[in-house]
Every structure is written in C-alpha cells, then in structure tokens.
Amino acid sequence: MKILVTGGTGFIGSHTVVELQKQKFEVLIADNLSNSSIDVLDNIAGITGVLPDFEKVDLSEREATAGLFNRHPDIKAIIHFAASKSVGESVDFPLKYYRNNLNSLINILEEMTKHEIHDIVFSSSCTVYGQADELPVRETTPIKPAWSPYGNTKQICEEIIRDNGRVSKIQASMLRYFNPIGAHESALIGELPLGVPNNLIPYITQTAIGIRDYLRVWGDDYNTPDGTAIRDYIHVVDLAEAHIAAINRLLDGKNEVPVEVFNLGTGKGYSVLEVIHSFEKMSGVKLKYKIQNRRPGDIEKVWADTTRANKVLGWVAKRGLDDMTLSAWNWEKHLAELKNKGK
Ligand code: UFG
C-alpha cells in the first residue's frame, strides 16, 4: 500500500517514513528540499534497509502537484508534513507562509478528489491553542487568535480541511503536535536546523558541542515553579508512531466523523531548566546558559490532555524526557563526527 509522505525528508517526516516502512507500507516522499537534505534518504535506508521512492516537488505549485499525482496513480493515502514552520520567519515573510502552507494543502486536496484518494493525516500544532485558559488543553479547548502568520496557517489549514470534508469524501486526521524533540536511536536521522536554531533542543546540543557560546534562557519570571516556561516535549519517534495509528484508523474506516483531531504530547510539562538538567545528566556535559528577558510571543505554559489519542488511537507516548535529551545529544555527536570526516 503506497503512502505519499510530503515533507518526508524533514525532521518529523523522516522518522515517520521509518515507522511506515517498518509496518511494510510503501513510501513515496515528495519534498522540495527547502529545509532538508537529500542524504536523509540514504540514512532512512540505513535504518530500514529500504530506500524510499522520492520526488523533488514544490507542492505549492499546482501543475507540479498534478504531475506528481498523475505519475503515481497507486497512492492510497497521504501524510502531509510539507510546510514552512519557523514562527519568527513567518512574522518577517508572512506571504511566503500563506503561499506555501495554504497552496500546498489546497493543491493536495484537489488532487485527492481527482484521483479518488480519501485519507489524509495533517500536521497541525498546539500553537492553535495559544495561551489556553485551562490546562491541560483538550481538543475541545477553544482556539485562540493566532500569534504569528505560521500559527494562522495551521488554523486556516484546519478550517480548509473541515470545510472540504463537508463536500467531499475526504476524511482527515488532524494531529496537533506539542514540542517534538529527540532523534532516532540509531542517530542516523534527527533534526537538521538551517543556520542558528530557534528551538530549545538544537540550541542546547549545539552549545554543548561547541558551535554556540551559550544558551539564552528566555525568561525566569514566569508563573511556574522555577520561573522558566513550560512545554510538553514529545519524542519524535513516539510522534511518528502516532501517525501510523492515525493512518491505519482512516484506512480501516474506523473514524467516527470525517475529520478528527488529536493532541499529541506526553501529557507532562517540563520547564526550560528541567530540560537543561535532564540534558546535563544524560550527556555528562555542563551546559553554559544565561537567563535573559522573555522572548516576545512566547507563552508561559502549555501541556496536553492526551486522553483522546490514548483511547481512540490506542497510542501512548512511551519515551521520557531523558530519552529525548540523550537521543538528541547522540544525534549532535553523530553530526560532529560527520563534520570531522569532512562529510
Ligand atoms: N527557549 C529558550 N532558549 C532558546 C530557545 C528556546 O529558553 O534558545 C525556550 C523558549 O522560550 C520556550 C521553550 O524553550 O519556553 C521552547 O521553545 P521552542 O522554540 O523550542 O518551542 P516553542 O514552544 O516556542 O515553539 C514550538 C514550535 C513551533 C510551534 C510551537 C507551538 O517550534 O513551531 O511550539 O506552541 F508553533
């Protein structure tokens, strides 16, 4: 059974391809390589023994997307990751975000109808909740106005999928990710940030390996036990496994309504300092960091109620914070080895 994975050479995409292949799905990756490397294909094959089929396609282009679907009439379902995802960049270049994230979804949905493909899993984000009034956040927690164009594209994409679901046979699973971190235990795939990372974990591991001088901890005056902000970090392999559960549910026709939503987190929140302490314990490296003012746009705290995903998808996040920080560190060390070898 062939699954189209858009953005399959990216961070979450590549880990999901590995899990799909382990479940004997045939995978076709479509990616424009704007934020990922073609080498990821070989690294996936290094883990699973199977090189995924690949097409370099910009899915925001209508004709290119049509061509992809015409060349692969045997696509049975889609997992759609391909999107621009930097909050800060989206503030500076909003049109890039609207063009890329909205057009690609619309093009894919149109091709799905044309080719009678009915099942899609969509990458959404807990960013849709903003700073929720109640914690943990449930799928029914009200959506807050988006704080960034990036967040807005996720909200609009969810609405597009819902509206289209009412008038087509397309059924969808919209997965709201919390904070995905960590890497595959093989250390062959992981997160590859371009330039200076914005996210906490790549900044920590790059500081520890000596690429950055020190980590800036954005604020210690939040209303949390140690004053630093709290997030629900989830191991990327747990997240990948949730996609298998979601796609199987759609393919088996077990979904109760055409469009379902699931929170994907661990249900536990950790502060920035707790993440640093876990990293130091697992790596044995003392991390240099300085407390700074709050980062504009950051929320204070968020973590998921994962009851629905646990019960309905029969999925639960198994890996803890220490697994996440250790695997991220092993991945950073692997990258350093490659660099030393001049690769
Ligand atoms: N942080 C630091 N220093 C850094 C980087 C991050 O202290 O150098 C802190 C942040 O202030 C925040 C926490 O670490 O408290 C996590 O920050 P990230 O940038 O890793 O993640 P965010 O929660 O800000 O953003 C993530 C994704 C977004 C998504 C959002 C949803 O990167 O794509 O979750 O809430 F929109």
Side-chain angles (χ1 to χ4, degrees):
M1 176 151 339
K2 189 186 268 190
I3 311 289
L4 169 64
V5 181
T6 76
T9 48
F11 175 42
I12 307 171
S14 57
H15 289 82
T16 301
V17 170
V18 165
E19 296 309 314
L20 284 166
Q21 290 183 331
K22 273 165 66 181
Q23 302 297 319
K24 306 288 175 222
F25 285 104
E26 192 186 332
V27 177
L28 164 66
I29 295 177
D31 201 304
N32 66 0
L33 299 176
S34 61
N35 195 21
S36 60
S37 159
I38 191 79
D39 299 344
V40 170
L41 298 177
D42 287 334
N43 297 335
I44 290 172
I47 298 170
T48 63
V50 183
L51 191 68
D53 198 0
F54 174 80
E55 289 227 20
K56 184 166 186 246
V57 182
D58 185 340
L59 296 157
S60 69
E61 290 174 16
R62 200 171 182 183
E63 293 310 314
T65 309
L68 174 77
F69 280 81
N70 287 337
R71 286 190 295 280
H72 298 275
D74 51 346
I75 294 170
K76 285 285 175 299
I78 296 163
I79 305 184
H80 179 41
F81 293 104
S84 303
K85 63 164 189 179
S86 161
V87 176
E89 188 192 38
S90 79
V91 174
D92 294 336
F93 303 100
L95 297 186
K96 172 182 171 184
Y97 275 66
Y98 288 112
R99 181 188 294 282
N100 193 24
N101 295 3
L102 303 189
N103 285 357
S104 55
L105 176 67
I106 294 167
N107 290 340
I108 288 168
L109 292 173
E110 281 182 343
E111 292 306 315
M112 287 177 72
T113 298
K114 220 188 284 172
H115 293 268
E116 296 186 5
I117 302 165
H118 301 313
D119 301 324
I120 182 165
V121 173
F122 175 69
S123 292
S124 190
S125 166
C126 72
T127 193
V128 301
Y129 300 116
Q131 181 57 72
D133 299 324
E134 272 182 14
L135 291 170
V137 290
R138 284 187 230 132
E139 288 81 355
T140 50
T141 297
I143 302 277
K144 288 265 174 85
W147 288 31
S148 69
Y150 160 75
N152 206 21
T153 67
K154 290 295 170 191
Q155 294 192 1
I156 298 171
C157 283
E158 286 199 3
E159 285 171 17
I160 291 172
I161 289 172
R162 275 188 215 285
D163 288 345
N164 187 60
R166 288 188 199 103
V167 295
S168 73
K169 289 190 184 144
I170 295 176
Q171 39 186 19
S173 193
M174 307 200 290
L175 307 182
R176 292 179 182 158
Y177 312 149
F178 282 65
N179 284 55
I181 60 169
H184 193 265
E185 60 175 4
S186 64
L188 287 175
I189 53 173
E191 195 170 359
L192 268 176
L194 282 185
V196 182
N198 283 314
N199 295 120
L200 179 62
I201 281 290
Y203 212 103
I204 288 179
T205 56
Q206 289 196 5
T207 303
I209 209 102
I211 301 174
R212 313 276 157 214
D213 289 341
Y214 60 92
L215 171 78
R216 292 158 184 82
V217 173
W218 303 123
D220 70 347
D221 56 351
Y222 285 109
N223 182 22
T224 60
D226 66 22
T228 62
I230 293 181
R231 297 287 184 275
D232 184 341
Y233 297 93
I234 174 168
H235 197 300
V236 65
V237 176
D238 277 321
L239 195 60
E241 288 172 356
H243 289 74
I244 311 302
I247 201 81
N248 277 331
R249 180 171 166 84
L250 292 175
L251 289 168
D252 295 345
K254 292 205 174 124
N255 47 308
E256 283 148 17
V257 288
V259 178
E260 294 186 321
V261 184
F262 297 99
N263 280 345
L264 298 182
T266 63
K268 267 203 203 101
Y270 289 102
S271 72
V272 176
L273 288 181
E274 284 175 313
V275 174
I276 292 173
H277 294 148
S278 164
F279 173 79
E280 289 182 328
K281 181 178 74 179
M282 301 311 290
S283 67
V285 178
K286 188 104 191 85
L287 193 77
K288 280 187 227 147
Y289 67 88
K290 290 184 190 169
I291 307 288
Q292 311 272 315
N293 290 333
R294 294 180 183 192
R295 182 169 68 176
D298 269 356
I299 58 166
E300 183 168 88
K301 51 191 164 198
V302 66
W303 59 93
D305 183 329
T306 60
T307 311
R308 195 173 139 68
N310 299 157
K311 280 199 184 141
V312 177
L313 291 180
W315 163 89
V316 62
K318 298 190 285 280
R319 297 159 182 88
L321 183 62
D322 289 347
D323 295 321
M324 302 182 213
T325 54
L326 179 62
S327 61
W329 179 232
N330 287 338
W331 166 242
E332 190 69 62
K333 286 195 293 185
H334 173 73
L335 291 178
E337 276 165 27
L338 291 180
K339 207 169 151 195
N340 287 340
K341 286 185 198 150
K343 286 189 184 172

